[in-house]
Amino acid sequence: GQNIDQPTEMTATEGAIVQINCTYQTSGFNGLFWYQQHAGEAPTFLSYNVLDGLEEKGRFSSFLSRSKGYSYLLLKELQMKDSASYLCAIMDSNYQLIWGAGTKLIIKP
Amino acid sequence: SQTIHQWPATLVQPVGSPLSLECTVEGTSNPNLYWYRQAAGRGLQLLFYSVGIGQISSEVPQNLSASRPQDRQFILSSKKLLLSDSGFYLCAWSVPTTDYNEQFFGPGTRLTVL
């Protein structure tokens, strides 16, 4: 079967660093996406990993280990506007996206 | 640049009434198109996707249907809504390649069935 696991909710402090984990078991793997979704809005693209290692983009970084079926999204210098849900999605053997339930991140001052 | 439109933004419908949600994409040709539903506090559930005019794949059996009458138009319909159809409906598009599937989402339609 196909399974993507993310924590349901996390809380962090403004200015701090937070790591959101995603583990997966899917029928094939052709890449992993992270999306950000603010409440009541559509998801927006953050990052894409297809090879092992770390991809850095400003305050956000995404890491992938294909052998472990594991990824994380690292957010640095947290700002209040980072309060949102973060969705992990796997592109499977049919090149379709399989979505995790998302992690709601709450930032406190 | 590409843009994607959805309407209406919000909708309140009685149980048993019909539904029609429309999605259009501008600035690209032959996109892959998707309909998702997101229940409150849940992940995205793929309902339908289309790789071309008249080509619809259904992922979840339900009382919903989809049509693609034009290259950049995708319509989600129902003849009789159920309470369980309430949710946030998102249309998305991606470029028609097979090795990278970044999806771009429309603003969504929030449907409440009473």
Side-chain angles (χ1 to χ4, degrees):
Chain A
Q2 315 222 74
N3 195 47
I4 299 176
D5 288 317
Q6 303 179 237
T8 303
E9 186 174 297
M10 299 182 70
T11 302
T13 305
E14 190 177 16
I17 299 173
V18 70
Q19 177 175 312
I20 302 174
N21 295 326
C22 171
T23 58
Y24 62 89
Q25 287 181 303
T26 56
S27 57
F29 178 86
N30 284 301
L32 183 147
F33 291 82
W34 283 98
Y35 278 76
Q36 180 190 60
Q37 185 179 24
H38 286 100
E41 298 182 9
T44 55
F45 170 81
L46 287 178
S47 67
Y48 171 71
N49 294 69
V50 66
L51 300 176
D52 290 351
L54 188 68
E55 295 280 342
E56 297 186 80
K57 190 185 294 185
R59 293 189 299 115
F60 293 4
S61 303
S62 56
F63 171 83
L64 174 67
S65 169
R66 289 171 297 171
S67 63
K68 296 182 179 178
Y70 168 69
S71 173
Y72 67 72
L73 181 68
L74 191 71
L75 291 75
K76 303 176 183 176
E77 301 169 16
L78 286 169
Q79 302 174 10
M80 297 303 293
K81 68 178 182 179
D82 297 329
S83 291
S85 289
Y86 292 85
L87 310 178
C88 173
I90 307 299
M91 191 159 60
D92 68 8
S93 56
N94 296 317
Y95 296 93
Q96 295 296 335
L97 289 185
I98 310 300
W99 295 84
T103 298
K104 182 178 181 180
L105 177 63
I106 299 168
I107 309 296
K108 295 186 175 180
Chain B
S1 64
Q2 300 88 3
T3 56
I4 178 169
H5 305 278
Q6 274 186 258
W7 63 92
T10 60
L11 192 58
V12 180
Q13 292 285 97
V15 169
S17 64
L19 173 74
S20 181
L21 302 181
E22 190 161 342
C23 170
T24 59
V25 181
E26 296 177 356
T28 186
S29 295
N30 196 31
N32 293 335
L33 296 173
Y34 307 84
W35 277 112
Y36 288 95
R37 176 169 60 203
Q38 187 176 35
R42 304 287 294 276
L44 298 177
Q45 179 187 32
L46 179 64
L47 302 175
F48 301 95
Y49 72 92
S50 171
V51 298
I53 295 175
Q55 300 179 64
I56 310 294
S57 295
S58 174
E59 292 297 301
V60 182
Q62 61 225 324
N63 68 322
L64 299 172
S65 62
S67 62
R68 184 170 178 174
Q70 300 180 45
D71 181 43
R72 288 168 288 177
Q73 183 185 30
F74 206 21
I75 298 172
L76 182 69
S77 304
S78 175
K79 293 182 179 179
K80 287 186 177 181
L81 284 168
L82 306 173
L83 284 174
S84 57
D85 291 325
S86 294
F88 190 42
Y89 287 81
L90 290 158
C91 180
W93 73 273
S94 66
V95 295
T97 63
T98 56
D99 59 352
Y100 181 72
N101 195 12
E102 179 184 349
Q103 295 181 11
F104 303 89
F105 288 85
T109 295
R110 188 159 302 282
L111 172 66
T112 303
V113 182
L114 300 176

